[in-house]
Amino acid sequence: MTAFTTRELEDALTRKLMINFGKTAEEAGETEMLRACALVLRDAMALRGVETRRETRQKEKKKVHYLSLEFLMGRSLQKNAYNLGVLPQLKEALEHLGFQAGDVFELEPDAGLGNGGLGRLAACYLDSMSTLEIPATGYSICYELGIFKQKIVEGQQVELPDAWKGIGSAWLLPKPEEARQVRFGGTLREFWNDGHLHIVQEGGTTVLAVPCDMEIAGYNTSHTNKLRLWDAKSPKPVDMSLYSKGEYLKATEDEAMAEVIAKVLYPDDNHEEGKSLRLKQQYFFVSATVQSIAEEHMAEFGTMANFHEKNVLQINDTHPALVIPELMRILLDDAGMGWDRAWEITTQSVTYTNHTVLAEALEKWPQALFERLLPRVWQITAEIARRWEEQCRAYFRDEEKVRDTAVVWDGVVRMANLCIAGGMRVNGVSALHSEILKNEVFQNACAMEPEKFTNVTNGVDHRRWLAEINPGLHGLVCDLAGGEAYLMDPQALGRLDAYADDREVLRRLSDIKRRNKEEFAAYAKQQQCVLLNPDAIFDVQVKRLHEYKRQLLNVLHIIALYQRLQDDPNAIARPRTFLFGAKAAPGYAVAKRIIRLINSLADQIDHDPICSGKLQVVFLENYRVSLAERLMPASEVSQQISTAGKEASGTGNMKFMMNGALTVGTLDGANVEMHDVLGDENMFLFGLRSNEAAALSREGYLPQRLYARDPVLHRVLDALKTGFRDGVSYEDLYRRLLFGDHGAPADEYLLLADFSAYCDAEKRMAEAYADPERWNAMSLRNIARSGVFAADRAVAEYADRIWHVPHRKVR
Ligand code: 26W
């Protein structure tokens, strides 16, 4: 391994500054220094990447291709330096050259190429795949604009564009020589030649896909994978021919269409819009990816017959589902295979992970749009659908079930069913979620092919989410759990369990948390001009804003606390600070109203002297990876309160746990498995179980009765109607809960049903906090038992049970 010394880094940085910016270190600014750091590390990783790929080729290793429309990478400088083992040297080199390392790191924009959980999961898995020495590549779109930047103006969310590439592009290596053409529209012409039916697509438009590669270094290994981001360009030469034919308008139209494809990440999380540009994005990135994988395979093996033995294509939710017909197209039209052989190879190459059960997130495309945009892929999809339907009909002999499992029905293409038909495995992301997939959402398909369905519970990169962001806690873990071994063996965290009654250890743990809270308070003051009280319990809910995640339930409870304080100013023994961070999809009006409500309530409490030093609500602007990295180490309570059955897994819950926060939560997603290792005594569970919640929704639920019967709830809901000192009424939310609107049933996510149980859980939590020794012991056990939620464990499971690729061992 080429580990740099401080001196070597200083020299390399100095040279980079001169070569790229024509400046000495004294003349250079922080931004130039940041870029120089990125370029120096990129060079080192590129060399390792070449070596990794050479060895992969030479040993003919099987490769994993991880396709995702989202990779929420966050910042890379500290991470890469850490994985390369040069973080201390880099910091020192920067200081020697007259820079503050922290200030330089802070300038790096987040690569926000994702919405939330699904995108961040992909980023954590890239780290683990490199660290476990699995030959793997991630594929996505090189969006010009990532997830929008959120500003709060007069309590409301305003979206600003996130042009991250100005500095962020320093990590990217564009490879224009490896560009691929992706074709849209046109018509098909069929002809016979040499006894074969040939099909060619004529006319339409072509878009150039230019790869921009980002190297992904593993920890404690020289194994380096890459993330390949496709940029969309107009193929100028082709368009010039249109010009000469006089089709000026068409030529410019095509150019505009080409470049708009990679313009922006769709900011909708768990809500499918059915927009044609989104389908173009999906096919653009899928086609470029499959072409590049197939070409590389052909170059190496000269045949596609063994493609499935040397490649596995993992698709992150249904967004890249077009890989199935696209791989078929290449096997049929380019490799000249027959249907059955092509189908066998495809279905042994593709594997699908589902990340949501929300009906509105299930991707469906109008057949007419599909057919017009992707004529050949449509033909193949229709044939896949026809054969699958035949198979289902023969198996079920029940038209209702045939309809349910169909890939194409009533002029609609259903992507999840396409993935089930064309994939070798289908998995959910937590035990409960996978059970719901098998027994409910995909019940019929699962009856037909039960062996296809499995579970791999999510995990998070514990090197980033513990060691890197929480150096104090990392130090404690090293002292108690056998040094840095846990970095490669997350289950070693379990050794902390033995210290749960060691007062000295618990005191250290509590000091670390205290210092982290103070640091976060200083950051919040500097960023947002809010004064956080480090003596208060830091009670945190950060995640995308969605009704099923029930930020509104959290708010209802805070209003109840506030009203109690009005009646009795001594009602709260322990000061409490409730922190929220959440982006709402720009078109999700109710979510935006909830953000405004949080800000109205925060303002009310802020201006009420009774609350001073006792109760505080803060909405943290622009929640993103780099903010989460500062917040997790300072958090004490983790709010994971989704309606049971709705949150596929959650991964924030794991990050909080690793950093010693205690969970107030429902038995949903991976909270169930957290409960398995923690027991009732180390978390604060409450509320309906998923079967109970489903039954209640099914059997007709009457929130108005709860409103009539529970005086606390009654008063809280009335406060929504009245509003707060800013004069904004939230009668719309009040009505939505009690009466429903726009076809949504009253209180669809059962907030009122869980309200009193939630208040009780919060009360138990506050009582536990009042006993610091008990609290710190619980916190320590949370950290100790979080090893199972490391991404290394999850990726090893994928490798063993789904991808069938060897890997470096983790425990
Ligand atoms: C088509 C629009 C759309 C966009 C994004 C639909 C669905 C999505 C994602 C699947 C939403 C998502 O991020 N799901 C989250 O995935 C995480 C990783 O598995 C889970 O931990 C979360 O529970 C799940 O909500």
Side-chain angles (χ1 to χ4, degrees):
M1 274 207 290
T2 47
F4 289 101
T5 63
T6 303
R7 189 57 212 272
E8 286 165 343
L9 270 175
E10 268 178 68
D11 290 348
L13 291 172
T14 310
R15 283 171 57 84
K16 267 291 177 226
L17 286 172
M18 292 195 285
I19 293 169
N20 284 58
F21 309 111
K23 287 188 181 172
T24 64
E26 293 80 55
E27 292 164 332
E30 282 176 338
T31 308
E32 287 154 330
M33 184 48 105
L34 171 61
R35 291 187 66 98
C37 290
L39 293 172
V40 166
L41 297 191
R42 192 187 76 178
D43 288 351
M45 293 188 292
L47 295 176
R48 292 168 174 224
V50 168
E51 182 51 27
T52 300
R53 286 186 283 279
R54 194 197 56 75
E55 195 185 315
T56 302
R57 227 181 3 256
Q58 188 218 330
K59 300 197 172 152
E60 302 192 348
K61 293 182 187 171
K62 186 174 182 180
K63 289 180 278 210
V64 176
H65 307 279
Y66 197 102
L67 281 75
S68 177
L69 270 213
E70 307 188 10
F71 284 88
L72 195 48
M73 301 299 285
R75 290 176 175 156
S76 290
L77 180 51
Q78 189 177 324
K79 177 75 197 173
N80 286 332
Y82 187 88
N83 277 6
L84 293 168
V86 299
L87 184 56
Q89 294 87 327
L90 178 65
K91 286 182 178 165
E92 212 174 60
L94 285 171
E95 313 281 322
H96 288 175
L97 294 172
F99 290 81
Q100 293 276 310
D103 294 349
V104 175
F105 292 177
E106 191 59 29
L107 270 183
E108 183 178 359
D110 280 35
L113 311 185
N115 275 287
L118 162 130
R120 183 55 231 174
L121 188 79
C124 285
Y125 285 4
L126 284 182
D127 184 90
S128 286
M129 290 189 292
S130 288
T131 301
L132 298 191
E133 300 178 342
I134 295 169
T137 308
Y139 300 88
S140 193
I141 293 174
C142 196
Y143 302 106
E144 191 175 318
L145 306 173
I147 187 69
F148 63 84
K149 283 190 182 152
Q150 179 192 54
K151 280 247 165 281
I152 300 297
V153 179
E154 287 168 15
Q156 291 174 276
Q157 168 174 297
V158 173
E159 300 94 19
L160 299 176
D162 166 48
W164 68 286
K165 281 211 259 177
I167 297 174
S169 66
W171 296 110
L172 301 175
L173 207 54
K175 309 234 174 89
E177 315 71 29
E178 293 184 51
R180 302 287 182 316
Q181 302 199 346
V182 178
R183 309 199 51 186
F184 292 96
T187 50
L188 299 177
R189 188 168 60 87
E190 308 190 352
F191 61 93
W192 285 89
N193 192 15
D194 296 341
H196 288 287
L197 178 64
H198 294 257
I199 299 176
V200 290
Q201 195 169 333
E202 295 181 327
T205 51
T206 299
V207 178
L208 257 199
V210 181
C212 293
D213 292 350
M214 186 188 282
E215 302 292 341
I216 310 289
Y219 173 73
N220 195 22
T221 170
S222 61
H223 189 104
T224 299
N225 290 320
K226 72 184 183 212
L227 171 59
R228 172 157 277 199
L229 300 173
W230 296 101
D231 197 5
K233 290 272 173 252
S234 161
K236 291 269 159 49
V238 178
D239 283 5
M240 289 317 289
S241 74
L242 285 172
Y243 270 100
S244 56
K245 277 194 264 169
E247 297 183 49
Y248 309 119
L249 277 180
K250 175 148 179 41
T252 48
E253 205 178 90
D254 292 351
E255 188 172 335
M257 168 190 154
E259 312 221 321
V260 85
I261 287 182
K263 195 49 98 190
V264 58
L265 166 82
Y266 270 86
D268 308 79
D269 177 85
N270 270 308
H271 186 82
E272 191 263 334
E273 287 266 18
K275 291 275 195 305
S276 79
L277 179 59
R278 169 88 174 174
L279 185 59
K280 284 179 194 163
Q281 286 187 335
Q282 296 185 349
Y283 185 65
F284 165 75
F285 122 85
V286 160
S287 177
T289 299
V290 179
Q291 287 182 50
S292 89
I293 298 169
E295 275 167 41
E296 190 174 307
H297 183 83
M298 282 301 286
E300 247 184 280
F301 298 96
T303 170
M304 289 297 278
N306 65 344
F307 181 82
H308 56 297
E309 290 162 15
K310 297 294 171 188
N311 297 281
V312 53
L313 279 58
Q314 169 69 53
I315 63 179
N316 207 16
D317 215 275
T318 57
H319 318 155
L322 292 168
V323 285
I324 293 163
E326 179 67 1
L327 181 55
M328 284 295 286
R329 184 184 70 80
I330 286 174
L331 294 172
L332 295 167
D333 298 355
D334 298 352
M337 273 180 202
W339 183 277
D340 292 335
R341 185 80 193 109
W343 186 242
E344 204 178 303
I345 290 172
T346 300
T347 52
Q348 287 180 50
S349 302
V350 177
T351 167
Y352 158 54
T353 301
N354 173 286
H355 295 266
T356 178
V357 299
L358 295 196
E360 64 269 32
L362 284 187
E363 287 195 296
K364 300 186 266 328
W365 295 106
Q367 175 184 326
L369 170 67
F370 203 112
E371 197 167 351
R372 177 164 49 78
L373 209 60
L374 313 169
R376 178 60 179 143
V377 166
W378 161 251
Q379 253 185 359
I380 293 167
T381 304
E383 181 61 13
I384 293 171
R386 191 188 65 76
R387 290 174 182 237
W388 174 254
E389 191 176 317
E390 218 167 61
Q391 189 188 331
C392 293
R393 186 166 284 119
Y395 180 84
F396 297 126
R397 303 180 175 284
D398 175 342
E399 278 311 293
E400 182 51 36
K401 293 183 179 171
V402 171
R403 185 189 59 76
D404 175 68
T405 50
V407 174
V408 180
W409 198 265
D410 260 356
V412 176
V413 189
R414 300 143 157 202
M415 303 309 261
N417 285 349
L418 175 60
C419 292
I420 295 171
M424 59 170 164
R425 276 284 191 295
V426 178
N427 77 283
V429 288
S430 74
L432 174 66
H433 170 58
S434 295
E435 285 307 303
I436 292 173
L437 290 183
K438 286 192 262 191
N439 302 329
E440 289 158 51
V441 186
F442 301 141
Q443 178 189 7
N444 291 321
C446 181
M448 189 163 84
E449 303 187 302
E451 60 300 326
K452 251 191 199 179
F453 291 78
T454 186
N455 171 251
V456 180
T457 298
N458 283 169
V460 301
D461 171 6
H462 73 296
R463 288 171 291 275
R464 179 186 285 259
W465 292 106
L466 198 171
E468 250 186 80
I469 65 170
N470 197 340
L473 183 57
H474 169 71
L476 181 64
V477 172
C478 287
D479 288 349
L480 303 180
E484 295 203 325
Y486 86 98
L487 294 173
M488 297 292 295
D489 173 17
Q491 289 293 6
L493 284 167
R495 297 182 195 153
L496 263 62
D497 236 326
Y499 298 89
D501 50 13
D502 183 324
R503 289 185 159 201
E504 178 49 33
V505 166
L506 297 183
R507 226 187 37 82
R508 251 183 97 187
L509 180 63
S510 117
D511 289 349
I512 291 164
K513 186 62 83 181
R514 172 74 195 196
R515 213 163 319 118
N516 292 341
K517 286 169 73 179
E518 284 165 2
E519 272 175 31
F520 187 77
Y523 176 76
K525 182 175 169 204
Q526 176 229 326
Q527 291 287 307
Q528 230 177 286
C529 300
V530 290
L531 288 180
L532 301 180
N533 172 11
D535 291 327
I537 310 178
F538 279 15
D539 186 319
V540 185
Q541 187 172 21
V542 285
K543 47 184 80 247
R544 283 299 289 255
L545 211 133
H546 201 290
E547 286 166 283
Y548 86 82
K549 295 178 187 282
R550 301 203 292 191
Q551 282 94 350
L552 184 53
L553 176 58
N554 192 343
V555 171
L556 296 183
H557 167 254
I558 299 169
I559 295 175
L561 273 186
Y562 176 67
Q563 291 173 339
R564 266 181 58 206
L565 265 188
Q566 299 301 305
D567 299 345
D568 171 10
N570 297 317
I572 292 186
R574 230 338 130 170
R576 297 167 75 159
T577 291
F578 292 92
L579 297 160
F580 289 87
K583 287 178 181 173
Y588 191 174
V590 176
K592 289 184 149 178
R593 289 288 290 162
I594 295 171
I595 289 180
R596 191 170 192 189
L597 169 61
I598 297 169
N599 283 303
S600 290
L601 178 60
D603 170 73
Q604 172 79 23
I605 289 176
D606 217 28
H607 285 84
D608 188 336
I610 294 178
C611 299
S612 172
K614 296 195 178 112
L615 187 61
Q616 184 179 30
V617 175
V618 172
F619 189 91
L620 299 166
E621 206 170 63
N622 201 27
Y623 180 60
R624 61 198 183 282
V625 174
S626 58
L627 182 55
E629 289 173 347
R630 294 183 176 271
L631 183 57
M632 294 290 167
S635 297
E636 295 176 293
V637 177
S638 158
Q639 296 284 341
Q640 306 300 336
I641 60 177
S642 51
T643 314
K646 299 294 182 191
E647 188 70 271
S649 162
T651 43
N653 48 0
M654 303 170 185
K655 295 163 196 165
F656 280 107
M657 181 187 184
M658 265 177 199
N659 283 279
L662 304 191
T663 301
V664 172
T666 47
L667 269 181
D668 198 16
N671 298 354
V672 175
E673 288 139 289
M674 288 171 49
H675 178 246
D676 289 344
V677 295
L678 291 170
D680 287 342
E681 61 286 9
N682 292 302
M683 63 193 294
F684 305 98
L685 278 187
F686 73 94
L688 297 166
R689 307 307 190 231
S690 71
N691 57 333
E692 295 166 342
L696 187 56
S697 300
R698 219 174 23 240
E699 285 152 19
Y701 154 63
L702 297 171
Q704 289 175 56
R705 280 205 195 148
L706 296 164
Y707 173 69
R709 270 189 221 150
D710 178 345
V712 176
L713 179 62
H714 198 292
R715 189 172 166 201
V716 167
L717 291 174
D718 287 352
L720 287 184
K721 219 171 16 169
T722 322
F724 302 98
R725 66 185 279 284
D726 62 7
V728 182
S729 160
Y730 292 93
E731 187 168 356
D732 53 339
L733 296 178
Y734 165 94
R735 296 190 62 79
R736 198 168 169 86
L737 290 174
L738 288 178
F739 310 107
D741 67 339
H742 300 109
D747 191 16
E748 185 173 5
Y749 295 102
L750 312 176
L751 280 65
L752 307 202
D754 274 343
F755 176 75
S756 76
Y758 180 54
C759 293
D760 178 64
E762 279 282 319
K763 188 159 157 265
R764 283 184 278 131
M765 183 278 290
E767 283 162 8
Y769 198 85
D771 177 353
E773 209 158 297
R774 176 172 164 225
W775 183 273
N776 292 324
M778 290 170 77
S779 172
L780 189 78
R781 287 191 205 102
N782 270 261
I783 301 161
R785 300 175 196 180
S786 68
V788 65
F789 300 112
D792 289 351
R793 185 273 310 149
V795 166
E797 280 192 47
Y798 278 99
D800 293 338
R801 298 196 286 112
I802 298 183
W803 303 333
H804 302 294
V805 296
H807 60 84
R808 184 146 69 135
K809 292 292 166 258
V810 291
R811 239 184 60 192

